[in-house]
Amino acid sequence: MPKNPRRSFLQLSGIAALAGCGAQPGAKTEEEKLPSELGKPIRAYGERSQFETAKRAVPDLKRPQIGSTRTPLAETEGIITPSSLHFERHHAGVPELDPAKHTLLLHGLVDRPLVFTVADLKRLPSASHIYFVECAGNSGGEWKAPGGANAAASFGLASCSEWTGVPLKILLEEAGLKKEGKWLVAEGADACKMSRSLPIDKALDDCLVAYAQNGEAIRPEQGYPLRLVVPGYEGNVNVKWLRQIKVVDQPNQTKDETSKYTDLLADGTSRQFTFVMDAKSVITYPSGGQKLTGPGFQEIRGLAWSGRGVIDRVDVSTDGGKTWQKAALQEPRLPKAFTRFRLPWHWDGKETEIVARAVDSSGYTQPGRDELTAARGMNSAYHYNGVKVWKIAADGSVKNG
Ligand SMILES: Nc1nc2c(c(=O)[nH]1)N[C@H]1C(S)=C(S)[C@@H](COP(=O)(O)O)O[C@H]1N2
Ligand SMILES: [Mo]
């Protein structure tokens, strides 16, 4: 990089300086020409600008209650996903639960079974943490072939929010865990009664019974009025519309952990209870579907995350994996949260491939596609975390590589 970065960024990216500013005597200066207008009245609940268009693409489904929408990751900045753009995965639609009537039953292998109203939970000690939620099926289509046309299509079943609620540990301690209580089963109030078994150690570690997301009540799509937040674990166990937690001595083998959410391997056996989401990253700019306006300065940007801790490093290659550079990581780097990475790049206008790989605090490195499929075969629909290659053509268009 040349020494004077401000001049060099302008020069490198071809941004024109103002020509002939204030040259004509008597003519308005550029400053005097700056427009202004009388604005709209104040309003009770904010909305984004009419000029903003980022949205979750809603697929055309025969049964619209069973499906998902994806976060347009390439159209978000920083590490927080706006609640309105948080991905959705529903197995039986979005129930409309009245928080004045909804309760959480906590029972099973406990000394004191309890029923909490939402108001009860809000009186208890609270905690706020930034965590990603990622569907185990995120990038699932990439197992067969890396075909996702853009960042949303291949990685958009992942989002990151600040969640506020009661630490689950507090509720379990209030109920008094019996020593045989080794697992719990969390169940939702939607028609599919989503239910998942969770080891008690995780429940006593960092889980939240959350009632708020990004500073306001959880959105209906995210589980209003209560959801379980299980940091770093596959999205499915983050049970929405949470209505009961039952402490048990062994996993319940529910339909959602037997017929689904197991990982079929090459030899025909399956992995079960593969809860933790392994380290992953995706370049969001430049990414599939975008077009570079021309050679020159480009800031490569992307997101990385790991269910095992913090992101320690992201390497980026701009020559199809021959050489790698360390990207800058935006602070704070939080455990089990999105981390934004950035790398200044000078595109020479030639065809190339760009790719990122994440390394987490456990020392785990995001695998290449060949490495991943050699270990796990190609039968699974879940837990694909291979690196994503974007191909940049000489005309600046970006495609799946
Ligand atoms: N009750 C209930 N909880 C649920 C689901 C559901 O359909 N019903 N979907 C699960 C799945 S598969 C995922 S990936 C996450 C999605 O959370 P989100 O819709 O808030 O992004 O919620 C999980 N919790
Ligand atoms: Mo999911």
Side-chain angles (χ1 to χ4, degrees):
M1 279 281 129
K3 269 192 201 123
N4 182 336
R6 246 171 81 210
R7 258 184 71 208
S8 69
F9 286 141
L10 291 182
Q11 285 169 350
L12 289 173
S13 49
I15 297 172
L18 208 55
C21 183
Q24 299 273 341
K28 278 194 174 179
T29 64
E30 291 302 321
E31 187 178 357
E32 283 161 351
K33 281 194 255 167
L34 292 173
S36 69
E37 65 175 39
L38 179 62
K40 290 207 171 119
I42 53 175
R43 57 191 175 191
Y45 195 82
E47 271 172 39
R48 67 178 171 179
S49 160
Q50 58 165 313
F51 302 108
E52 291 304 309
T53 55
K55 58 178 182 290
R56 304 182 288 218
V58 179
D60 190 12
L61 298 167
K62 254 197 238 137
R63 295 169 300 179
Q65 282 87 357
I66 308 170
S68 50
T69 59
R70 292 157 177 273
T71 294
L73 290 174
E75 294 171 86
T76 66
E77 307 286 349
I79 62 167
I80 300 291
T81 310
S83 302
S84 334
L85 295 176
H86 195 288
F87 84 93
E88 302 164 86
R89 176 74 182 103
H90 314 308
H91 293 72
V94 181
E96 288 203 324
L97 301 179
D98 179 347
K101 294 187 187 133
H102 185 74
T103 55
L104 172 63
L105 172 64
L106 173 53
H107 64 140
L109 296 171
V110 295
D111 299 327
R112 290 172 297 280
L114 298 167
V115 178
F116 298 96
T117 64
V118 177
D120 290 338
L121 292 170
K122 288 188 176 172
R123 285 177 53 187
L124 292 172
S126 62
S128 295
H129 293 281
I130 296 173
Y131 293 127
F132 73 81
V133 176
E134 181 183 16
C135 180
N138 195 23
S139 319
E142 310 270 308
W143 279 113
K144 295 277 174 276
N150 54 49
S154 45
F155 286 75
L157 293 176
S159 307
C160 187
S161 294
E162 185 197 60
W163 303 100
T164 299
V166 191
L168 178 55
K169 182 177 198 263
I170 290 179
L171 303 183
L172 292 171
E173 283 173 355
E174 287 301 316
L177 269 181
K178 289 196 194 296
K179 70 172 187 325
E180 316 87 84
K182 295 288 179 236
W183 288 73
L184 57 77
V185 183
E187 186 189 75
D190 47 344
C192 70
K193 293 187 197 158
M194 173 64 60
S195 52
R196 284 299 306 262
S197 308
L198 200 64
I200 208 74
D201 289 351
K202 180 64 176 175
L204 292 170
D205 180 11
D206 54 3
C207 296
L208 287 176
V209 173
Y211 44 77
Q213 173 189 11
N214 298 332
E216 61 181 353
I218 287 185
R219 291 286 165 103
E221 299 93 316
Q222 265 70 61
Y224 184 86
L226 295 177
R227 100 172 293 170
L228 191 60
V229 171
V230 187
Y233 276 28
E234 62 185 13
N236 190 257
V237 298
N238 292 252
V239 173
K240 303 189 279 189
W241 313 294
L242 182 67
R243 72 168 186 191
Q244 83 163 296
I245 291 175
K246 188 171 182 182
V247 179
V248 291
D249 59 354
Q250 54 184 306
N252 222 17
Q253 307 294 351
T254 70
K255 66 179 184 335
D256 303 303
E257 57 206 21
T258 49
S259 73
K260 292 199 184 79
Y261 300 100
T262 62
D263 313 334
L264 186 58
L265 302 174
D267 65 3
T269 63
S270 285
R271 305 194 305 167
Q272 194 188 23
F273 302 126
T274 46
F275 292 122
V276 180
M277 299 308 292
D278 289 318
K280 197 160 175 177
S281 67
V282 61
I283 293 173
T284 54
Y285 181 83
S287 62
Q290 296 172 341
K291 190 160 185 191
L292 302 182
T293 48
F297 178 79
Q298 304 286 347
E299 185 181 65
I300 294 180
R301 296 175 198 147
L303 290 165
W305 60 96
S306 167
R308 294 186 200 280
V310 298
I311 291 297
D312 260 5
R313 211 177 78 217
V314 176
D315 303 322
V316 173
S317 173
T318 56
D319 56 11
K322 282 193 221 81
T323 61
W324 297 84
Q325 278 172 276
K326 240 166 107 168
L329 302 181
Q330 178 183 292
E331 299 289 345
R333 285 178 293 131
L334 302 168
K336 304 163 192 178
F338 278 2
T339 293
R340 176 69 60 173
F341 63 87
R342 300 184 168 96
L343 184 80
W345 180 44
H346 184 89
W347 182 46
D348 59 10
K350 293 196 185 112
E351 185 180 302
T352 191
E353 286 182 347
I354 58 171
V355 55
R357 73 173 174 225
V359 181
D360 72 15
S361 49
S362 76
Y364 175 95
T365 302
Q366 184 184 4
R369 178 182 168 72
D370 293 347
E371 201 186 330
L372 182 66
T373 52
R376 302 250 197 86
M378 286 168 56
N379 291 332
S380 186
Y382 302 115
H383 291 276
Y384 183 94
N385 73 322
V387 300
K388 179 76 184 172
V389 179
W390 299 119
K391 192 173 249 160
I392 301 177
D395 70 355
S397 59
V398 190
K399 290 202 171 69
N400 171 52

